Amino acid sequence: MFLQREKELSILEDAYSSKQFEFLVLYGRRRIGKTSLLKEFSTRHKTILFSAQEKNDSLNLLDFSKTVQAHFEGRFFGEFSNWETAFSYITGKLSDSERIVLIIDEFPFIAAENPSIKSIIQHTIDHSWKDKNIFLILCGSSVSFMEDEVLAHKSPLFGRSTIHIELNGFDYLESADFFPTYSNLEKLIAYGILGGVPCYLAAFDGKKSLEQNVASKILKEGSFLKDEPNFLLRQELREPAVYNSIFESLANGATRINDISSKIHEEMQKCSKYLKTLQTIRLVKKCVPCGEDENSRKTIYRICDNYFSFWYHFLFEHKSYYELLGPKRSAEEIFKPENLNAHLGWIFEEICLEYMLRRARSGTLPFVPEKYGKWWGNNPVRKCQDDIDVLLRDRTGKKLVICECKFKNEPFDKAEFEAMLSRKSIFSSAEETSFFAFSKSGFSIWVKENAKQNNVSLVEIDDLFDSSLKN
């Protein structure tokens, strides 16, 4: 099942149609759908699609030789002596009349064994391909490698790429397409559990309930998702034990560097280094209050993959307990409102931000925000530490939108409404402030009666899936 990615396919199609040399660098964390995108593109055009493997240079060159020769000759006539010879052979096949697309997937596997491959490709581009009818695509799952060793200034390939794409996960609205028969609330919960990683979403069976899917696709022994976070960390990192500890502390509320350090009994400097690595592989993000400098002392860290957050929140620490309980009863316990809502609370804030950004792109907000995100700090009126679930500011800082997001089983009530309005006083210099209240369980009669006169927009679950947001 191939869903979404229309924008990325359009970029690939434009590059294919240009009839001149194009060089696309495609990268993104593991499981994000890079290979699926390239395979879908390859069904539409004649391509040479080669996937490198984690083995020595000679064996990858042999596989590359077989792939290229099968494309042009329909048979294998012998291994190329080196990569220069292989690329020279392709050069000899170039013509103005036929577009050649060469895709090298998992390029870092080749470069790890043969660092000179970058210079070889650079030389081939500069001397043989830059004026030819060829579309070259290099793809990799190591984000740091692709950014530092392919795109960065120090790389021999710097300045050669004509396009680069970092492939990201789907947002809540894109993810919903995987579950056409679910209710909107069920789609939201599915996203809160699985996040926007295509192969995680595809693992669930839309004909079964969410609880049944969690039991059979996550908790059942041998299921693909059961140990996926551990598997991915072992692939990516040298010391998974320390990273596991960091993830566990993040999933259970320790978000500041000193709290993480204290909880896992590691030095802050070491924790900082490990957190930076997790940011590089797009599993953790650094957050500062909306509008503040990136080096703010109020910095916190969040797990930015919903499935990792779910797995470490529910399964990592309690693995033995859930194994004794069994998949069915474990899923029932996880789906108790007090348990599931606690996990989904901050994720719901992220979903509400995604909704607001979609509205900004569609031109249905009071202004186009320049800064947006969560805010926390001192509330001078209430004389206490306070936070705003989602804050959006225009370029001048004079126009604001303040959002309150409640994922609970009771309606948004008067006390929550008044607390939201009180946060306007935190930004006394703002000239125009409007409010959005988001609620899983709707709004009390009092809130509905007082919303309009206080410039408050009320958003329920079904509103998040308005068809106009897909444009």
Side-chain angles (χ1 to χ4, degrees):
M1 181 168 59
F2 187 83
L3 296 173
Q4 302 294 339
R5 304 301 189 201
E6 290 88 355
K7 182 178 74 173
E8 290 83 1
L9 278 170
S10 176
I11 293 171
L12 288 167
E13 291 292 345
D14 287 346
Y16 180 84
S17 301
S18 75
K19 304 303 180 184
Q20 60 187 22
F21 172 73
E22 298 284 358
F23 174 19
L24 167 66
V25 177
L26 175 67
Y27 64 103
R29 54 156 287 194
R30 292 186 188 279
R31 310 291 201 197
I32 210 68
K34 303 179 299 298
T35 300
S36 296
L37 174 64
L38 294 175
K39 285 182 176 179
E40 177 65 21
F41 177 71
S42 294
T43 64
R44 306 178 181 199
H45 305 287
K46 196 174 178 181
T47 65
I48 307 168
L49 174 56
F50 171 69
S51 292
Q53 297 182 57
E54 207 166 0
K55 53 188 180 182
N56 68 37
D57 188 55
S58 295
L59 291 177
N60 268 318
L61 178 58
L62 173 61
D63 291 346
F64 185 76
S65 303
K66 291 177 179 178
T67 301
V68 169
Q69 292 167 22
H71 177 83
F72 288 112
E73 311 292 344
R75 64 184 181 88
F76 174 57
F77 56 78
E79 180 182 357
F80 294 119
S81 57
N82 51 48
W83 289 98
E84 291 94 334
T85 304
F87 294 141
S88 179
Y89 171 81
I90 294 171
T91 301
K93 298 292 184 177
L94 299 178
S95 69
D96 293 335
S97 59
E98 184 180 6
R99 183 74 155 162
I100 287 181
V101 181
L102 173 60
I103 302 171
I104 302 178
D105 196 7
E106 295 298 355
F107 177 68
F109 288 158
I110 301 174
E113 295 294 319
N114 183 356
S116 68
I117 189 69
K118 294 172 288 183
S119 295
I120 293 169
I121 294 176
Q122 173 251 313
H123 185 272
T124 302
I125 291 171
D126 290 352
H127 295 274
S128 303
W129 290 355
K130 67 178 181 180
D131 297 317
K132 301 294 185 181
N133 189 16
I134 182 170
F135 180 16
L136 170 66
I137 301 174
L138 297 186
C139 179
S141 297
S142 173
V143 174
S144 59
F145 178 90
M146 298 301 284
E147 289 185 339
D148 297 340
E149 303 295 329
V150 177
L151 293 171
H153 189 272
K154 66 179 182 180
S155 169
L157 290 168
F158 175 74
R160 272 69 182 184
S161 67
T162 56
I163 319 158
H164 66 270
I165 300 173
E166 179 179 0
L167 204 62
N168 296 307
F170 299 137
D171 72 4
Y172 79 96
L173 198 54
E174 294 165 327
S175 299
D177 286 349
F178 283 79
F179 307 108
T181 62
Y182 278 4
S183 70
N184 287 333
L185 178 58
E186 288 170 330
K187 291 173 183 178
L188 215 61
I189 294 171
Y191 177 71
I193 293 171
L194 299 168
V197 176
C199 71
Y200 298 171
L201 292 161
F204 270 26
D205 182 350
K207 296 177 183 177
K208 295 181 179 179
S209 71
L210 284 166
E211 197 171 305
Q212 289 172 326
N213 272 303
V214 168
S216 62
K217 304 297 184 179
I218 294 177
L219 298 169
K220 185 179 178 181
E221 195 64 41
S223 59
F224 158 56
L225 289 171
K226 181 174 175 58
D227 290 312
E228 165 67 5
N230 260 336
F231 175 76
L232 194 146
L233 290 185
R234 286 196 298 269
Q235 277 192 313
E236 293 278 354
L237 306 167
R238 295 178 184 175
E239 299 179 77
V242 179
Y243 290 104
N244 274 326
S245 300
I246 290 174
F247 273 119
E248 183 184 11
S249 65
L250 289 170
N252 289 291
T255 57
R256 298 181 185 275
I257 187 78
N258 56 331
D259 294 332
I260 297 167
S261 172
S262 176
K263 192 159 187 175
I264 71 171
H265 306 291
E266 296 283 359
E267 294 179 357
M268 285 193 3
Q269 187 174 0
K270 185 175 183 179
C271 288
S272 181
K273 175 186 172 185
Y274 280 48
L275 284 163
K276 188 172 182 180
T277 299
L278 291 173
Q279 290 174 71
T280 300
I281 60 175
R282 306 304 193 252
L283 292 175
V284 166
K285 64 179 179 179
K286 177 182 176 182
C287 307
V288 298
C290 176
E292 293 200 12
D293 186 83
E294 283 297 309
N295 297 316
S296 170
R297 295 179 66 183
K298 299 176 187 175
T299 294
I300 63 171
Y301 295 88
R302 292 279 198 185
I303 300 172
C304 56
D305 180 287
N306 291 357
Y307 185 62
F308 270 66
S309 180
F310 175 88
W311 195 84
Y312 280 97
H313 181 82
F314 286 107
L315 306 183
F316 181 70
E317 185 181 0
H318 309 292
K319 181 180 179 182
S320 298
Y321 169 73
Y322 283 123
E323 286 177 351
L324 289 172
L325 203 58
K328 185 176 184 297
R329 286 195 295 160
S330 297
E332 289 171 358
E333 180 156 322
I334 288 170
F335 273 79
K336 289 178 180 177
E338 64 269 25
N339 293 330
L340 193 61
N341 288 359
H343 163 68
L344 292 172
W346 76 266
I347 292 174
F348 186 57
E349 294 174 10
E350 294 289 315
I351 290 169
C352 296
L353 175 58
E354 291 171 4
Y355 166 85
M356 296 298 284
L357 296 180
R358 279 185 172 268
R359 287 199 55 165
R361 285 190 286 270
S362 68
T364 56
L365 285 185
F367 55 85
V368 176
E370 182 176 60
K371 297 186 182 297
Y372 46 83
K374 192 175 180 67
W375 180 93
W376 56 97
N378 183 57
N379 185 325
V381 174
R382 299 173 72 183
K383 294 182 171 52
C384 64
Q385 289 296 300
D386 208 345
D387 67 85
I388 296 172
D389 294 337
V390 177
L391 175 67
L392 302 100
R393 302 174 60 180
D394 76 339
R395 297 190 72 176
T396 68
K398 300 294 185 182
K399 295 181 180 181
L400 306 177
V401 173
I402 292 173
C403 304
E404 187 80 5
C405 314
K406 296 298 180 186
F407 197 88
K408 59 175 190 167
N409 288 1
E410 299 81 32
F412 195 107
D413 60 25
K414 178 181 178 182
E416 292 162 340
F417 186 89
E418 291 176 338
M420 176 181 66
L421 295 183
S422 74
R423 294 185 175 102
K424 178 179 179 179
S425 60
I426 297 172
F427 307 97
S428 56
S429 62
E431 297 174 355
E432 181 182 313
T433 303
S434 53
F435 301 86
F436 278 73
F438 296 82
S439 176
K440 171 195 173 187
S441 303
F443 303 88
S444 70
I445 294 173
W446 187 93
V447 169
K448 290 179 180 178
E449 290 174 346
N450 286 271
K452 188 173 183 180
Q453 66 195 60
N454 286 284
N455 200 19
V456 178
S457 299
L458 305 182
V459 184
E460 300 189 47
I461 295 298
D462 288 345
D463 298 321
L464 296 170
F465 294 87
D466 190 297
S467 60
S468 66
L469 296 171
K470 293 187 176 183
N471 298 331

